[in-house]
Amino acid sequence: MPGWSSKTENQGFDALGKGQAALGLSVVCAAGAAGLAGADAFFATAFLPGAAFLAGAAFFADAAFLAGAAFFAGAAFFAGAAFLAGAAFFAGAAFLAGAAFFAGAAFFAAGFFAVAITISLINLQRALYADLFGKKRSMWLGWFPAT
């Protein structure tokens, strides 16, 4: 066959069976270890600033969260205080309105009953006066027409 030789030719490598496979494996492993060490060093130098950045970002995020939480707590407190003040105001206003209504109703009822009692006493006086003179009288209708 063209390009093929039946005799073993030295092509720059030692003959097989002299530990070349182990040597090659150790070279590959050493190169891999060196590559891993280099990658580790590279990623470590990239990791440390990233970790510092993330730590700083976490600190600022935490500080911003605490500031926001304090703000919302204060806002909730003032909203609650304003609500309670408004509720107390409206409760007081409703109480005063109810008190004024009942005071007015009591005044109106007292005036009504005073007038009704006065009219009843006047009619009683007329009925007693009519009884003295022998006339029949109804307290509500006045003098009977037949008398």
Side-chain angles (χ1 to χ4, degrees), residues 111-135:
F112 174 78
F113 284 115
V115 170
I117 289 171
T118 303
I119 291 173
S120 294
L121 289 176
I122 291 172
N123 284 334
L124 178 63
Q125 182 183 9
R126 287 181 182 166
L128 292 175
Y129 180 74
D131 192 37
L132 284 175
F133 294 106
K135 294 188 174 183

Side-chain angles (χ1 to χ4, degrees), residues 15-87:
L16 294 177
K18 304 285 186 193
Q20 287 84 7
L23 178 67
L25 183 61
S26 67
V27 168
V28 169
C29 289
L36 283 178
D40 188 33
F42 172 75
F43 286 118
T45 57
F47 172 77
L48 291 177
F53 171 76
L54 290 179
F59 171 75
F60 284 117
D62 195 24
F65 172 77
L66 290 179
F71 171 76
F72 283 117
F77 172 75
F78 284 119
F83 172 77
L84 290 179

